[in-house]
Amino acid sequence: MTMKSDIGVLGMGTMGGMLALNLAEKGHETAIFNRTAEKAHRLVADNPALAARLHPEDSLEGFVARLKTPRIVLVMVNAGAPVDEQIAHLMPLLDAGDIIIDGGNADFNDTVRRSRSAEGTGINFVGMGVSGGEQGARHGPSIMVGGAKEVWQRLQPILEPIAAQHEGEPCVAWLGPDGAGHFVKTIHNGIEYADMQMIAEIYGLLRDGAKLDAPAMASIFADWNTRGLSSYLIEITATVLAETDEATGKPLVDMIIDEAGQKGTGRWSVIEAQKLGIGATTLEAAVSARGISSRRDERIAASDIYGTLSLDTGSAVPADAAGIADLESALETAKIIAYAQGYAVLAAASAEYGWKLPLRDIARIWRAGCIIRSVFLDDIARVYEAGDGIVNLLQAPSFSERVTAGQAALRRVVSRAVLAGLPVPALAAALSYFDDYRRARGTANLVQGQRDFFGAHTYRRFDQGGSHHHVWPVI
Ligand code: 6PG
């Protein structure tokens, strides 16, 4: 009799294939299926050490029949319509109690819709965010699970061994019902965009301000990776900057076209932040910067029109140790502000959708495996250890002390960059958010006056209760 599999992975793209290998390596009998069956067979042939626990099937029916009941199917296809297609193919072959997991980068709104349409069929739908890229999927990603809690209890023994481990704790957690897992993954990606953009802005200041070459910058980032900024993204930045292009002998980074791609999750994080009324301005700046980067021809034309504007870019970074230390401190401070924004979106979504997101666990499972992993996430986890009552990370004493100490450097870096005409949209957005956030008396009173003037939208007064409308002079 054929041995039944613990789980089936549908879709042998990069992430699907790597997760299947990871599952097999951790002792799970794993059925695998791909529309082009040859791809599944090739995965087995290329990984002979794991072949005994990888079971390729040539038909969807055969794949489903291969699974232990109640069945667990992990769908790893491109986000969007392909997920709906696979669910439609799978549904008639499954029974009540079976579980379909979407492990792609889904829009959480789709996950909520899919969960609702599975309700009543008895088939459980799980939206699961997976972070860590190819290597993470293969050796231990960070996994953000949404769906019914009872279903998580069944998945836990399968997912915990394949997740990244941080000091013995698996980086996987159940985060809430339906779309919670994919929502958290989306915000993870918004923060990922912000982190990457702020690093790129600092790189721009070092390159165009301090006029350093790539190997020199690689050393600076490698040094920063030994302290507070220590993280995967700083580490890979140092590695990318140190790489030489074989064809030309020049730094590879100088041969790469300055147009950034994007698949949509960063943009979704900002759209969701706006829907919730949360200003995630650093994340927004990062997404917008990718958009501007991709309009290269237009930028070149604009640079022809404006030239250098006779600005002295050399004044952007004082070429001494203090100048470099300012950049480090500015990046660390802006990073705290960006994460505070991302966490504020999570907290707002949790309240809006009734998810009760475990903010502490989110920091814990981001400490290893995922793209934004860093020592800094340990600090965030510690803040939430004390309870989920923190309204914003900027109000947590451990962070307010750091921001108080680092804000002067962030101001120097941003203002010098602005005067020198070097763009720092994400760093500047972080600073502006901070200044707006810490101001007890804002300027929205004037906006309210304007709104009442042209639309009788009313305003509230400091000295009286209720809503008021003023009869303004006619102009
Ligand atoms: C991760 C990443 C990953 C994402 C890529 C590409 O957490 O492993 O976020 O899921 O798909 O980084 O994203 P962009 O193409 O949008 O940059």
Side-chain angles (χ1 to χ4, degrees):
M1 207 184 81
T2 325
M3 191 189 324
K4 296 273 185 177
S5 295
D6 302 308
I7 185 166
V9 183
L10 189 164
M12 290 292 108
T14 309
M15 293 296 280
M18 293 297 141
L19 280 174
L21 295 176
N22 188 355
L23 284 159
E25 190 170 73
K26 303 296 156 33
H28 303 306
E29 298 298 334
T30 308
I32 53 176
F33 175 74
N34 195 70
R35 211 171 31 175
T36 345
E38 202 244 316
K39 226 171 166 178
H41 289 284
R42 203 178 325 129
L43 188 79
V44 181
D46 290 346
N47 295 278
L50 298 172
R53 282 194 292 275
L54 286 172
H55 312 293
E57 288 290 338
D58 292 351
S59 71
L60 190 63
E61 290 75 10
F63 167 74
V64 170
R66 181 100 201 196
L67 303 176
K68 280 181 194 160
T69 53
R71 306 174 184 88
I72 303 173
V73 180
L74 172 56
V75 176
M76 293 301 302
V77 296
N78 287 337
V83 176
D84 289 312
E85 267 167 47
Q86 294 310 324
I87 294 172
H89 292 318
L90 279 167
M91 281 301 214
L93 304 174
L94 299 179
D95 296 309
D98 290 351
I99 302 170
I100 300 177
I101 309 170
D102 173 13
N105 266 337
D107 180 336
F108 97 103
N109 296 293
D110 286 339
T111 306
V112 171
R113 170 179 57 77
R114 288 168 188 143
S115 302
R116 299 233 164 102
S117 62
E119 272 167 23
T121 64
I123 295 166
N124 304 289
F125 186 76
V126 169
M128 183 173 98
V130 178
S131 176
E134 190 176 340
Q135 284 309 307
R138 174 66 184 86
H139 299 292
S142 169
I143 306 177
M144 294 147 254
V145 182
K149 188 149 195 193
E150 315 78 75
V151 176
W152 156 243
Q153 277 148 9
R154 283 173 50 204
L155 297 178
Q156 210 169 348
I158 295 191
L159 296 179
E160 283 187 349
I162 67 160
Q165 310 288 316
H166 179 83
E167 293 172 1
E169 275 184 55
C171 292
V172 53
W174 176 75
L175 302 177
D178 52 62
H182 276 142
F183 188 91
V184 172
K185 175 67 192 352
T186 299
I187 301 307
H188 166 284
N189 280 30
I191 295 173
E192 172 185 307
Y193 273 48
D195 258 339
M196 294 168 76
Q197 173 63 24
M198 291 189 296
I199 293 171
E201 289 173 13
I202 296 287
Y203 154 75
L205 296 179
L206 288 168
R207 186 190 66 186
D208 303 331
K211 316 276 185 219
L212 296 185
D213 61 13
M217 290 186 264
S219 308
I220 290 172
F221 282 102
D223 177 43
W224 291 355
N225 198 40
T226 62
R227 294 185 286 275
L229 284 169
S230 174
S231 59
Y232 173 72
L233 284 171
I234 293 285
E235 184 186 351
I236 66 164
T237 299
T239 308
V240 168
L241 286 168
E243 196 72 0
T244 302
D245 175 38
E246 266 183 32
T248 60
K250 293 183 179 160
L252 179 57
V253 72
D254 291 338
M255 305 309 296
I256 299 177
I257 294 179
D258 52 329
E259 290 182 38
Q262 55 177 320
K263 296 199 193 72
T265 42
R267 186 183 305 138
W268 295 340
S269 73
V270 168
I271 291 170
E272 296 307 330
Q274 288 291 358
K275 282 194 206 159
L276 291 160
I278 298 293
T281 55
T282 313
L283 282 59
E284 283 168 24
V287 175
S288 299
R290 287 211 191 178
I292 293 174
S293 83
S294 67
R295 306 180 83 85
R296 185 162 168 266
D297 291 344
E298 227 174 293
R299 286 189 286 111
I300 290 170
S303 86
D304 286 343
I305 297 170
Y306 292 104
T308 65
L309 294 176
S310 307
L311 293 164
D312 172 19
T313 52
S315 63
V317 182
D320 55 14
I324 304 296
D326 261 0
L327 294 179
E328 180 183 12
S329 180
L331 183 54
E332 211 172 322
T333 308
K335 183 176 166 117
I336 294 172
I337 298 165
Y339 279 65
Q341 294 177 358
Y343 262 80
V345 180
L346 291 176
S350 182
E352 176 74 18
Y353 306 121
W355 284 335
K356 298 194 172 64
L357 290 177
L359 300 177
R360 181 196 62 175
D361 293 343
I362 293 170
R364 286 176 148 187
I365 64 170
W366 285 352
R367 288 180 302 186
C370 68
I371 301 296
I372 63 170
R373 61 185 182 261
S374 65
V375 295
F376 175 68
L377 280 158
D378 245 338
D379 304 338
I380 298 183
R382 263 195 296 278
V383 165
Y384 286 110
E385 297 290 345
D388 275 359
I390 301 282
V391 292
N392 183 302
L393 281 174
L394 290 174
Q395 298 207 15
S398 56
F399 285 117
S400 64
E401 278 163 27
R402 285 164 71 172
V403 173
T404 302
Q407 52 92 29
L410 182 56
R411 282 181 208 290
R412 283 192 293 272
V413 167
V414 169
S415 54
R416 283 181 192 135
V418 169
L419 287 172
L422 294 179
V424 285
L427 294 168
L431 179 59
S432 292
Y433 173 90
F434 170 64
D435 282 336
D436 213 6
Y437 185 69
R438 71 182 179 82
R439 179 162 65 168
R441 179 154 193 235
T443 54
N445 46 329
L446 180 61
V447 173
Q448 286 297 80
Q450 292 162 334
R451 291 179 70 237
D452 192 57
F453 184 102
F454 62 67
H457 293 294
T458 74
Y459 52 86
R460 289 183 300 123
R461 296 177 56 104
F462 285 119
D463 57 345
Q464 295 169 29
S467 295
H468 299 265
H469 168 58
H470 180 70
V471 181
W472 301 93
V474 177
I475 55 166

